[in-house]
Amino acid sequence: MKGWMGKTKALLLFTMLTLFLTACGKENLTALAPKGYGAESSMNLIILTTLIMVGVFVVVMIIYVIALVRFRRKKGQEDYIPKQVEGNHTLETVWTIIPIVLVLIMGVPTVIATFDLADTSNASEHLNVEVTGNQYWWHFNYDGEEIVTSQDLYIPTGERVYLNMMSSDVIHSFWVPTISGKMDVNPENVNTMYIEAYEEGVYWGKCAELCGPSHSLMDFKVIAVSPEEFDQWVSDMQAVDPEEEPQDTVAQEGKELFEANNCMACHAIGSSPAAIGPNLTNFGDRTTVAGILEPTKENLVDWIMDPESIKPGNKMTGAYPSISEEEANSIAEYLLQLKPSEITPESAGN
């Protein structure tokens, strides 16, 4: 009785823990609530394979229970030997053909969906974005638009956006689970996929390939806005003047410090020049600092002062002279005022 009660308590505890864990996570960071074409295709495959696996499990358990009940040893039949069926060609044929059929039922739709999501035949008719994976951030260059951003990828809803992806260092993997599947981002070749968001929103993206000590911190966002808002965002970004002076005195000082400390050697504002660090054109509109911190001035100052403590292994550490907290505060004030457009994550309902 004690053993039975212990197992019951363990099962109850496990069930409660499972229910509790289902509530963990972030909105728009799940493949189980698809809001895009790629994620919907993946979800259909998940449902198909799950139904097949559950069906196989149920059938096997039914046969198992029947065998236990019908062929259990009975009193007076201790020496009884059931009819042996080894070498039965009919049975062997059935349990060979059934798994093959089930694999085909799962495999054929999977192959079709894989080729569909990698189809680039109509790419020239849609928006194309060059995506570069870096340790530990993402770079986005909009083809033909003269727009460069980092970390936040703006796209219009209801339209395919083709992503031509390549890595500048090690292998990464681009994944926005709520609207698309994942694609490896390699340093040797360009991989292309398309994404399409059905509705406006801020969708979390992850690097899904172990790429270094801060792999788990390599987050980014896809900002899906209406086509009209996207067109407005494009116009605003194209109108950015990198030389424009801030109105605030502290921000002006921050801009001077930003340039004096050689920050422009790695970062760019506007579509040029090319830079080896994240583009900062619309930094003030971003939903996070360094991809992981709340976008507050305090967090930004902490990042400027000691990026290594926040993202170990990042390439910003040691790339600029040591600065005081007051100087970091002025630079942060300048960066947080870089808001070229009224179209922001809030426009997408963040």
Side-chain angles (χ1 to χ4, degrees):
M1 186 71 175
K2 259 187 179 181
W4 180 81
M5 287 296 292
K7 290 178 182 178
T8 302
K9 289 179 180 178
L11 180 61
L12 180 61
L13 179 62
F14 178 77
T15 302
M16 293 176 63
L17 180 62
T18 302
L19 291 173
F20 174 76
L21 290 176
T22 59
C24 298
K26 296 178 180 177
E27 185 181 5
N28 290 340
L29 183 58
T30 174
L32 303 180
K35 296 180 181 179
Y37 181 80
E40 185 177 52
S41 296
S42 298
M43 188 60 188
N44 291 337
L45 293 173
I46 291 173
I47 293 173
L48 172 65
T49 54
T50 301
L51 288 175
I52 290 174
M53 288 185 287
V54 169
V56 170
F57 176 79
V58 170
V59 170
V60 170
M61 291 306 297
I62 290 174
I63 295 174
Y64 175 70
V65 171
I66 290 174
L68 281 178
V69 174
R70 184 174 178 183
F71 299 106
R72 73 186 185 279
R73 180 175 292 179
K74 301 178 179 68
K75 286 184 179 180
Q77 296 182 343
E78 287 79 4
D79 298 327
Y80 173 74
I81 299 176
K83 180 182 178 180
Q84 304 301 295
V85 294
E86 71 270 9
N88 187 308
H89 295 305
T90 301
L91 280 177
E92 291 182 356
T93 300
V94 169
W95 62 49
T96 299
I97 290 178
I98 289 178
I100 292 175
V101 171
L102 293 178
V103 169
L104 288 174
I105 292 174
M106 292 185 290
V108 171
T110 300
V111 172
I112 291 173
T114 300
F115 278 90
D116 176 37
L117 294 175
D119 180 21
T120 60
S121 57
N122 296 321
S124 60
E125 302 173 9
H126 298 273
L127 175 66
N128 281 252
V129 180
E130 305 295 326
V131 178
T132 305
N134 309 272
Q135 292 176 310
Y136 301 93
W137 56 281
W138 296 89
H139 186 71
F140 307 114
N141 188 347
Y142 291 72
D143 284 359
E145 302 289 355
E146 296 187 352
I147 295 175
V148 177
T149 67
S150 298
Q151 294 301 96
D152 287 357
L153 174 65
Y154 283 75
I155 65 171
T157 57
E159 298 182 20
R160 290 187 178 184
V161 178
Y162 284 82
L163 308 177
N164 306 303
M165 300 182 287
M166 192 170 184
S167 169
S168 68
D169 36 53
V170 300
I171 297 175
H172 301 283
S173 186
F174 185 95
W175 189 30
V176 191
T178 306
I179 60 174
S180 74
K182 65 178 69 170
M183 177 72 77
D184 279 355
V185 182
N186 303 319
E188 301 90 1
N189 61 284
V190 176
N191 285 338
T192 300
M193 66 179 290
Y194 66 84
I195 60 176
E196 179 183 348
Y198 291 153
E199 58 186 70
E200 297 181 31
V202 178
Y203 301 99
W204 287 69
K206 289 280 188 179
C207 175
E209 185 78 27
L210 181 61
C211 57
S214 289
H215 156 69
S216 63
L217 306 178
M218 192 171 166
D219 295 0
F220 64 99
K221 305 283 178 34
V222 174
I223 318 295
V225 297
S226 68
E228 297 76 20
E229 288 179 319
F230 180 75
D231 289 341
Q232 181 62 51
W233 179 81
V234 169
S235 298
D236 293 339
M237 291 292 287
Q238 290 174 336
V240 169
D241 179 10
E243 303 300 324
E244 183 178 354
E245 290 293 329
Q247 300 298 317
D248 183 84
T249 304
V250 177
Q252 289 177 358
E253 181 183 346
K255 183 175 186 296
E256 294 172 0
L257 288 167
F258 186 81
E259 295 170 350
N261 284 281
N262 212 27
C263 299
M264 294 297 289
C266 296
H267 299 282
I269 297 172
S271 60
S272 62
I276 61 174
N279 185 283
L280 304 177
T281 302
N282 60 342
F283 184 88
D285 289 331
R286 289 187 191 166
T287 54
T288 57
V289 172
I292 54 172
L293 302 175
E294 289 295 318
T296 65
K297 188 174 182 179
E298 292 74 17
N299 284 338
L300 181 52
V301 170
D302 290 341
W303 168 254
I304 295 172
M305 294 290 293
D306 188 12
E308 187 65 19
S309 66
I310 298 172
K311 263 191 177 180
N314 75 86
K315 297 178 182 177
M316 181 172 164
T317 301
Y320 55 94
S322 177
I323 59 176
S324 67
E325 185 172 348
E326 184 180 353
E327 290 174 324
N329 186 77
S330 296
I331 293 174
E333 183 69 28
Y334 164 60
L335 294 176
L336 290 173
Q337 290 189 16
L338 296 177
K339 299 182 177 183
S341 178
E342 294 182 359
I343 307 303
T344 66
E346 284 71 23
S347 304
N350 180 37

